[in-house]
Amino acid sequence: MAAPAKTLIDFFQQPAAKRLKGASSPPLSALSSLKDDDAAASSKSTVSISPEQKRRMEYNKSLALSKRNLKLCSDKLSKAVATGAGYVKLEEVLVEETWSEVLSGELQKPYARKLCEFVETEICHGITPIYPPQHLIFNALNTTPFDCVKAVIIGQDPYHGPGQAMGLSFSVPEGIKVPSSLQNIYKELQKDMGCTIPSNGNLEKWAIQGVLLLNAVLTVRQHQANSHAKKGWEQFTDAIIGAISQKRSGVVFLLWGNYAQAKSRLIDESKHYILKSAHPSGLSANRGFFGCRHFSRTNQLLEKSGVSPIDWQL
């Protein structure tokens, strides 16, 4: 006799399948507890990172990148010296990838080729030392990536005394006497921000935080100020300023003195901020640099744009 056909009710009344021996599911309460713990841990992790800790993490990351770029340049120069070449092509010591991309092809232009030939001749065949050392010529760019630039301080050309130039405008290495212009910068910084005056003139900490310390001319002969002016560097650094103006927004340009202020023609003031004052040199600091309050104003403008301020204390 054939078994009677099953109805839908019969299917729904089938006994539950037997569980495999030894297999068990955690109770819903346990799963819920695990999810709550994960959420709490995630929330705690997020809350525990303060703005200051976040800035410190960003600084350490930028510092590591700067050291990596400096080592790349130093290694290139050491290799050139070891092989007897004694010179590294300019394009080879611009190692920061963001700037290499932004300035792609700039060093291959006719004016730049002449500039490269001039600098190579000065280094390899000149009788006067050239500053800064080759691996530091693009130190400003290699220390402050293009997409990290918050502010720009424009100088004229490198210091021309032995050991002074380090590829950052107004900055000298530790152990070198602080130049008078930088001493005046420190005085204004103390009045403006309450910072203590440091014992050295190394401004690398500013550069790592996003202050592009850019000289208009990037090399110089020993004891001969402006000796490499009008050789092509101005066109190259104008291209740098123009790229920032065109491709970035909310950058603060600190233009001290007439020479730097002439660069304002390259800057789109509808997208960026320009702060002008007299030059901090001993000859002009009392004619408008002292009291300009550019450091606090820079931070106010950055915060207005939602960008973390600069810690100016060295």
Side-chain angles (χ1 to χ4, degrees), residues 215-287:
N215 280 317
V217 176
L218 300 186
T219 55
V220 69
R221 292 189 199 122
Q222 178 178 283
H223 299 317
Q224 298 180 39
N226 297 317
S227 51
H228 284 187
K230 299 180 180 179
K231 301 296 183 182
W233 278 128
E234 294 91 342
Q235 188 171 345
F236 179 76
T237 54
D238 280 357
I240 292 171
I241 297 170
I244 296 171
S245 176
Q246 180 182 359
K247 300 181 180 182
R248 294 290 310 280
S249 61
V251 174
V252 184
F253 289 84
L254 290 78
L255 308 182
W256 299 335
N258 294 333
Y259 185 90
Q261 289 172 23
K263 302 295 181 180
S264 61
R265 73 186 190 281
L266 305 169
I267 304 165
D268 185 347
E269 293 191 59
S270 69
K271 296 170 57 181
H272 303 280
Y273 306 103
I274 295 179
L275 302 179
K276 297 180 180 180
S277 78
H279 194 275
S281 72
L283 297 174
S284 58
N286 285 308
R287 297 203 298 266

Side-chain angles (χ1 to χ4, degrees), residues 195-223:
C195 295
T196 57
I197 295 180
S199 59
N200 67 80
N202 190 340
L203 306 181
E204 183 183 27
K205 182 180 176 182
W206 294 357
I208 290 170
Q209 293 181 80
V211 182
L212 181 64
L213 299 170
L214 181 68
N215 280 317
V217 176
L218 300 186
T219 55
V220 69
R221 292 189 199 122
Q222 178 178 283
H223 299 317

Side-chain angles (χ1 to χ4, degrees), residues 27-57:
L28 291 176
S29 59
L31 289 173
S32 177
S33 178
L34 286 172
K35 291 179 179 178
D36 290 343
D37 290 344
D38 288 343
S42 176
S43 175
K44 183 178 180 181
S45 175
T46 302
V47 172
S48 64
I49 300 178
S50 67
E52 178 58 33
Q53 288 173 319
K54 184 178 180 181
R55 282 195 292 270
R56 176 56 56 181
M57 290 168 63

Side-chain angles (χ1 to χ4, degrees), residues 74-88:
S74 298
D75 289 347
K76 286 175 183 287
L77 182 57
S78 297
K79 184 177 180 180
V81 172
T83 58
Y87 176 79
V88 182

Side-chain angles (χ1 to χ4, degrees), residues 2-314:
K6 294 184 178 181
T7 66
L8 287 175
I9 295 177
D10 293 324
F11 280 108
F12 283 111
Q13 291 178 342
Q14 290 294 315
K18 294 182 179 180
R19 293 181 178 176
L20 293 175
K21 186 177 181 180
S24 62
S25 301
L28 291 176
S29 59
L31 289 173
S32 177
S33 178
L34 286 172
K35 291 179 179 178
D36 290 343
D37 290 344
D38 288 343
S42 176
S43 175
K44 183 178 180 181
S45 175
T46 302
V47 172
S48 64
I49 300 178
S50 67
E52 178 58 33
Q53 288 173 319
K54 184 178 180 181
R55 282 195 292 270
R56 176 56 56 181
M57 290 168 63
E58 291 174 351
Y59 179 85
N60 289 337
K61 182 179 178 181
S62 297
L63 176 61
L65 177 61
S66 173
K67 289 183 176 180
R68 170 254 189 191
N69 287 344
L70 179 60
K71 186 176 187 305
L72 284 175
C73 292
S74 298
D75 289 347
K76 286 175 183 287
L77 182 57
S78 297
K79 184 177 180 180
V81 172
T83 58
Y87 176 79
V88 182
K89 293 182 179 180
L90 285 179
E91 60 263 30
E92 293 184 10
V93 289
L94 178 56
V95 298
E96 171 49 45
E97 296 171 357
T98 57
W99 282 112
S100 295
E101 181 179 349
V102 168
L103 300 172
S104 177
E106 192 68 30
L107 287 172
Q108 279 68 51
K109 292 181 178 179
Y111 86 88
R113 289 189 179 278
K114 290 182 180 179
L115 169 64
C116 293
E117 291 173 1
F118 167 76
V119 174
E120 180 176 358
T121 300
E122 287 278 283
I123 292 174
C124 296
H125 306 294
I127 60 175
T128 305
I130 303 304
Y131 302 135
Q134 292 177 57
H135 67 290
L136 295 178
I137 289 175
F138 292 125
N139 196 25
L141 303 181
N142 290 333
T143 303
T144 310
F146 175 75
D147 52 3
C148 295
V149 175
K150 299 178 181 179
V152 181
I153 297 178
I154 298 176
Q156 192 162 348
D157 69 335
Y159 293 120
H160 50 78
Q164 288 183 307
M166 58 183 295
L168 305 176
S169 63
F170 294 99
S171 181
V172 294
E174 294 183 27
I176 299 296
K177 182 181 178 181
V178 178
S180 60
S181 291
L182 185 52
Q183 289 178 16
N184 288 335
I185 290 172
Y186 287 167
K187 290 177 182 177
E188 173 60 22
L189 184 59
Q190 183 181 49
K191 292 179 181 178
D192 184 15
M193 301 288 293
C195 295
T196 57
I197 295 180
S199 59
N200 67 80
N202 190 340
L203 306 181
E204 183 183 27
K205 182 180 176 182
W206 294 357
I208 290 170
Q209 293 181 80
V211 182
L212 181 64
L213 299 170
L214 181 68
N215 280 317
V217 176
L218 300 186
T219 55
V220 69
R221 292 189 199 122
Q222 178 178 283
H223 299 317
Q224 298 180 39
N226 297 317
S227 51
H228 284 187
K230 299 180 180 179
K231 301 296 183 182
W233 278 128
E234 294 91 342
Q235 188 171 345
F236 179 76
T237 54
D238 280 357
I240 292 171
I241 297 170
I244 296 171
S245 176
Q246 180 182 359
K247 300 181 180 182
R248 294 290 310 280
S249 61
V251 174
V252 184
F253 289 84
L254 290 78
L255 308 182
W256 299 335
N258 294 333
Y259 185 90
Q261 289 172 23
K263 302 295 181 180
S264 61
R265 73 186 190 281
L266 305 169
I267 304 165
D268 185 347
E269 293 191 59
S270 69
K271 296 170 57 181
H272 303 280
Y273 306 103
I274 295 179
L275 302 179
K276 297 180 180 180
S277 78
H279 194 275
S281 72
L283 297 174
S284 58
N286 285 308
R287 297 203 298 266
F289 178 76
F290 289 140
C292 69
R293 302 296 186 262
H294 278 185
F295 305 101
S296 60
R297 291 177 66 188
T298 294
N299 280 354
Q300 290 167 3
L301 292 170
L302 291 175
E303 290 179 314
K304 179 181 177 182
S305 300
V307 178
S308 58
I310 306 297
D311 177 7
W312 297 103
Q313 179 66 66
L314 295 168

